[in-house]
């Protein structure tokens, strides 16, 4: 049996690690990981490790999906065969190379030819066992000769700048020069090739590790005597082909990868304006946003970018009120209000996720963490009781937990975000107006979101809401399931409580909570979060924890003679201060008030030969920090920038490198107080509205409309048939909600025109880019499969257009 965990890597840089599943050959992880990708990459890789207590964890195998293939597996559960991991499967990076063939006349008057091979630099080489000290060997190989030369070793870098030139003597056959045909040279240049191998200089006795190679036939020098290009490194030809692939097992993944090409704002104004006026269109079902919900296969697909765009533009409340009103009008029975997966419920879910995430953490996280740590048994199903467990004790444990969670929720009304309260207010008004006889509907309309779709799911799967880092263990998971069921029923205010459980033991347990005080507490809470004239919660502001985690920091030189060494520390960022301490829960060793953060920027790798470094610049000095990987570094830089964005004294220039040995490495200025030499990167103030890129969301909506263009056209036909013909409807049209065929048709026409215009812009951009791009450039090195397939597509497109 093995104790395995799995990592997610961009190329070979680890950005996420699952928990360890012990003693299993078929581990189930069920973990979700989401990230923005902060840099270019070629493979998304997944490594499976076997934990070893005494030495380094051993790799069992890996799955590497090429960036070009991610679309193929998009949002589909797929089993991938594990591949062996060895030096050849780990090759990555690119090399910049120049070749030049020149004639040299020797002392005896004979013309011979010299080949100069210049290795300029490499980028993105693999890091082997935590180090990379690369050197290159250059070999001129032919049928009858092989001559090798070697560069110097570059220490501690995976982007080495070699810039070394090697000369090889080559004699050139007559076909290359216009001499007489009687000249005869013995060696044919066409059969020679230059081979460049990259190695990691290992200080161990096993020999150096192979990092990749490339082979260039000298035929490339036929047209001109010099040649320069970037190449992707390739594995060796005789790599591990002999191993059978099927003997390592397989890994099941579901990868959702989206890549949007976003233009500048003005391109999107027609489509964006059309979407933003959705709230004011009468009836709302004729608006562009509602139409998007109608044509998408999943309502969720439409809800995510719509809510983000409306939040960004401050229009989310009127839009959700409009669609909720329309849905309430269509509802016949007050008991089924907002229970379906409609566009309204998906949009409100998405808004609560974005605007309420922090509220959720403040309210639930401390109690959830305690439940996970204390491991009390709460099983109340007599069938599932373990030996030696007492049913009464378990019931008491569970009752205490439910009471605590119920109390923190019902007392948290003041902290509920304003945007959520405004939405709940409009839901409550709409429901009360539609069902005037039912006095409870004003509560159930709100509780069906705040309890059923917000608190209950978060208690059930805390890891999906970042309340716990990983899945909880089976026992805790069962406890949370029972708590979640009880809270859900308490919040739903149903008339006959005990009857709402299909399990008799749950009905018996629920008797504890059949008191009036629980129903009153729920109603008071719902009243508070759905009243329009609430007092501003800012007045009772608690420090909000925004992010925390281990990172490595360099001593700041606060003591006069202290060592400037690197140490691992636990960092915490709240909306008041940025602190670090020895480990989680300790007293802070150092604190930076938010108003003292003048800028947060990346730090050049050259400064300390360390990757993923950034700097927090304060009035007297800068704090240099190294994050664990590129995704973490981006997340910290983004959130620190957002929090400190409104500071009055923010810098406009900064030093991208460190101050070492008496000068700044970037601009060589000798004074440590010299003003910066590079403009700071701009950012936006720290609030949810601005955390979103409106143009990117509009681009996302454009691609959805484009994807479902055939449905838009069908909907147009449906409008036409409906306004002309009033009889029973055709089957294929009846799926759309169309209240006003003429208005809907008008909007559809505008949507299709707006999407068409953007589509032409994209096509034009691709054509221009294609003309400018050179194969063998730094962006598209030789061996770039995505570029080759791109060229194929473009040549097909251009032949069609001809």
């Amino acid at each position: 049996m093995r104790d395995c965990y799995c990592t997610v890597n961009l190329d070979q840089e680890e950005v996420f690690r699952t928990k360890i599943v012990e003693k299993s050959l078929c581990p189930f992880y069920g973990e979700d990981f989401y990230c923005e990708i902060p840099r270019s990459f070629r493979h998304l890789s997944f490594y499976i490790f076997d934990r070893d207590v005494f030495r380094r964890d051993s790799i069992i195998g890996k799955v590497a999906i090429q960036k070009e293939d991610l679309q193929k597996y998009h949002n589909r559960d797929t089993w991938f065969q594990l591949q062996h991991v060895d030096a050849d499967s780990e090759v990555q990076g690119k090399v910049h190379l120049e070749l030049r063939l020149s004639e040299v006349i020797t002392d005896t008057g004979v013309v011979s030819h010299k080949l100069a091979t210049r290795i300029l630099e490499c980028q993105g080489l693999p890091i082997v066992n935590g180090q990379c000290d690369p050197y290159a060997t250059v070999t001129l190989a032919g049928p009858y000769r092989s001559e090798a030369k070697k560069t110097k070793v570059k220490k501690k870098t995976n982007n080495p700048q070699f810039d070394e030139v090697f000369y090889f003597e080559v004699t050139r056959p007559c076909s290359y020069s216009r001499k007489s045909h009687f000249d005869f040279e013995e060696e044919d240049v066409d059969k020679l090739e230059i081979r460049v191998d990259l190695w990691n200089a290992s200080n161990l006795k096993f020999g150096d590790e192979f990092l990749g190679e490339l082979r260039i036939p000298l035929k490339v020098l036929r047209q001109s005597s010099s040649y320069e290009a970037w190449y992707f490194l390739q594995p060796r030809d005789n790599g591990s082909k002999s191993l059978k692939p099927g003997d390592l097992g397989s890994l099941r993944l579901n990868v959702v990868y989206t890549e949007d090409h976003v233009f500048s704002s003005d391109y999107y104004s027609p489509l964006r304006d059309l979407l933003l006026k959705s709230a004011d269109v009468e009836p709302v079902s004729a608006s562009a946003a509602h139409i998007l919900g109608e044509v998408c296969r999943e309502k969720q697909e439409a809800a995510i970018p719509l809510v983000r765009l409306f939040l960004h533009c401050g229009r989310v409340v009127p839009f959700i009120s409009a669609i909720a009103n329309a849905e309430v009008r269509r509802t016949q029975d007050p008991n089924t209000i907002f229970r379906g997966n409609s566009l309204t419920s998906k949009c409100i879910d998405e808004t609560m996720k974005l605007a309420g995430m922090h509220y959720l953490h403040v309210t639930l996280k401390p109690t959830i963490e305690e439940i996970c740590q204390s491991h009390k048994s709460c099983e109340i199903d007599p069938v599932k009781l373990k030996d030696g467990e007492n049913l009464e004790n378990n019931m008491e444990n569970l009752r205490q937990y439910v009471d605590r969670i119920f109390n923190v929720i019902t007392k948290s009304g003041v902290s509920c975000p304003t945007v959520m309260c405004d939405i709940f207010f409009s839901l409550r008004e709409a429901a009360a107006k539609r069902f005037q006889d039912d006095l409870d509907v004003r509560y159930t309309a709100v509780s069906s979101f705040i309890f059923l779709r917000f608190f209950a799911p978060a208690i059930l799967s805390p890891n999906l809401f970042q309340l716990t880092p990983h899945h909880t263990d089976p026992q805790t998971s069962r406890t949370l399931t029972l708590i979640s069921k009880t809270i859900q029923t308490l919040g739903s205010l149903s008339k006959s409580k005990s009857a709402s459980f299909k399990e008799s033991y749950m009905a018996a347990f629920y008797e504890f909570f059949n008191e009036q005080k629980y129903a009153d507490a729920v109603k008071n809470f719902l009243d508070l979060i759905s009243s329009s004239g609430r007092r501003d919660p800012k007045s009772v502001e608690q420090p909000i924890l925004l992010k925390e985690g281990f990172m490595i920091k360099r001593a700041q030189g606060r003591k006069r003679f202290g060592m400037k060494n690197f140490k691992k520390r636990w960092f915490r960022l709240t909306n008041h201060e940025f602190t670090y301490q020895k480990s989680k829960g300790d007293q802070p060793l150092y604190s930076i008030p938010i108003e003292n953060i003048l800028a947060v920027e990346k730090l050049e790798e050259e400064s300390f030969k360390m990757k993923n470094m950034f700097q927090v610049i304060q009035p007297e000095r800068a704090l240099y920090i190294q994050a664990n990987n590129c995704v973490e570094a981006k997340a910290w830089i983004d959130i620190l920038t957002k929090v400190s964005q409104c500071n009055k004294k923010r810098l406009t220039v900064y030093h991208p490198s460190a101050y070492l040995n008496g000068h700044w490495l970037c601009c060589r200025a000798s004074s440590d107080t010299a003003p910066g030499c590079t403009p700071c990167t701009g950012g936006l103030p720290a609030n949810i509205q601005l955390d979103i890129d409106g143009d990117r969301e509009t681009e996302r909506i454009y691609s959805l409309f484009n994807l479902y263009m055939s449905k838009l056209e069908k909907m147009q036909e449906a409008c036409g048939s409906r306004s002309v013909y009033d009889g029973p409807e055709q089957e294929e049209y009846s799926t759309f909600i169309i209240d006003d065929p003429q208005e809907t048709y008008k909007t559809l026409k505008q949507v299709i025109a707006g999407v068409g215009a953007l589509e032409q812009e994209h096509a034009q951009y691709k054509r221009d880019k294609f003309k400018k791009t050179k194969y063998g450039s730094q962006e598209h090195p030789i061996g770039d499969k995505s570029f080759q397939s791109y060229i194929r597509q473009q040549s097909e497109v251009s032949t069609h257009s001809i």
Side-chain angles (χ1 to χ4, degrees), residues 87-89 91 210 212-213 215 233-239 241:
D88 286 285
S89 75
V91 168
F210 172 75
E213 69 164 24
R215 294 160 178 254
L233 285 169
Q234 302 296 341
R236 289 171 286 208
D237 292 345
N238 59 353
K241 295 284 177 285

Side-chain angles (χ1 to χ4, degrees), residues 31-33 46 73-78 80 251-257:
E31 299 209 19
D32 285 3
F33 168 64
F46 301 84
Y73 303 111
H74 177 80
N75 208 358
R76 291 217 312 265
D77 271 16
T78 313
F80 292 91
L251 176 66
R252 187 172 68 148
L253 301 169
N254 185 339
V255 179
V256 177
Y257 175 72

Side-chain angles (χ1 to χ4, degrees), residues 429-444:
E429 292 295 291
K433 196 168 145 192
R434 170 85 173 82
F435 301 106
Q436 288 173 0
D437 307 336
D438 190 326
L439 294 177
D440 272 349
V441 75
R442 67 182 59 203
Y443 295 118
T444 48

Side-chain angles (χ1 to χ4, degrees), residues 500-541:
S500 58
F501 291 108
K502 50 185 187 293
E503 308 94 339
S504 54
Y505 61 87
M506 278 305 287
F509 173 65
Y510 200 79
E511 286 304 315
F512 284 131
F513 301 99
N514 240 342
E515 296 173 38
Q516 190 54 38
K517 66 172 187 186
Y518 288 102
D520 291 344
V522 170
K523 284 184 175 173
N524 289 339
F525 168 66
L526 294 173
D527 274 333
L528 180 60
I529 62 170
S530 62
S531 61
S532 57
R534 278 172 10 114
R535 62 202 172 80
D536 184 30
K538 295 273 186 312
S539 54
V540 285
E541 194 180 23

Side-chain angles (χ1 to χ4, degrees), residues 138-151:
V138 183
T139 313
L140 178 68
Y144 311 114
R145 66 185 283 181
S146 174
E147 185 183 344
K149 308 196 170 185
K150 174 181 160 184
T151 67

Side-chain angles (χ1 to χ4, degrees), residues 193-437:
E193 66 171 10
I194 280 280
R195 199 176 88 222
V196 178
D197 291 270
L198 274 132
W199 299 85
N200 178 27
S202 167
N203 38 19
L204 304 168
K205 47 186 180 289
F206 307 124
D208 298 344
E209 291 105 348
F210 172 75
L211 298 178
E213 69 164 24
L214 59 101
R215 294 160 178 254
I216 307 169
L218 288 196
K219 284 188 209 148
V220 296
L221 292 168
R222 264 195 195 148
Q223 272 83 26
S224 72
S225 61
S226 75
Y227 173 80
E228 173 263 341
W230 282 85
Y231 281 84
F232 271 133
L233 285 169
Q234 302 296 341
R236 289 171 286 208
D237 292 345
N238 59 353
S240 48
K241 295 284 177 285
S242 55
L243 294 161
K244 294 204 297 294
D247 50 8
L248 288 176
S250 48
L251 176 66
R252 187 172 68 148
L253 301 169
N254 185 339
V255 179
V256 177
Y257 175 72
T258 51
E259 186 177 302
D260 293 316
H261 175 86
V262 186
F263 289 120
S264 58
S265 276
D266 42 342
Y267 285 84
Y268 295 108
S269 3
L271 186 59
R272 188 175 49 230
D273 296 345
L274 191 62
L275 287 159
L276 288 177
K277 62 173 204 243
S278 294
D280 310 324
V281 175
E282 272 298 321
V284 74
S285 62
S287 66
H290 196 278
I291 288 171
L292 180 66
E294 288 298 293
V295 295
C296 283
R297 207 178 72 221
E298 300 281 335
K299 295 274 189 265
Q300 183 84 1
E301 273 182 308
I304 294 174
L306 281 175
V307 164
R308 294 176 73 96
L309 176 67
F310 283 117
L311 261 172
H312 177 65
C313 303
R315 300 278 298 145
V316 79
V317 178
F319 169 64
I320 288 183
S321 304
I323 54 175
N325 267 316
E327 186 178 322
V328 170
R329 282 199 293 275
R330 286 194 291 273
T331 308
Q332 298 307 316
D333 175 6
N335 291 322
T336 61
I337 198 163
F338 299 127
R339 287 299 167 90
N341 273 336
S342 60
L343 183 64
T344 313
S345 51
K346 288 291 178 202
C347 282
I348 297 177
D349 280 0
E350 202 48 43
T351 311
M352 293 194 302
K353 251 195 203 135
L354 284 168
M357 197 49 109
H358 168 104
Y359 165 51
L360 192 67
H361 280 220
V362 175
T363 311
L364 290 183
K365 200 170 182 177
T367 318
I368 297 274
E369 276 179 348
E370 190 188 315
I371 293 173
C372 293
Q373 282 158 10
S374 65
H375 275 294
K376 286 185 188 167
S377 173
C378 295
E379 182 53 75
I380 56 169
D381 181 354
V383 183
K384 292 186 181 166
L385 270 189
K386 293 192 185 119
D387 291 346
E389 280 188 355
N390 180 327
L391 193 62
E392 267 69 48
N393 287 355
N394 287 6
M395 268 196 173
E396 184 50 32
N397 290 343
L398 185 61
R399 194 185 65 75
Q400 282 177 3
Y401 280 153
V402 171
D403 252 341
R404 282 192 53 189
I405 286 200
F406 180 79
N407 284 329
V408 290
I409 291 175
T410 49
K411 291 203 175 96
S412 69
V414 183
S415 336
C416 183
T418 319
V419 72
M420 282 167 63
C421 296
D422 292 345
I423 289 171
F424 294 150
F425 175 67
S426 67
L427 295 181
R428 169 189 172 145
E429 292 295 291
K433 196 168 145 192
R434 170 85 173 82
F435 301 106
Q436 288 173 0
D437 307 336

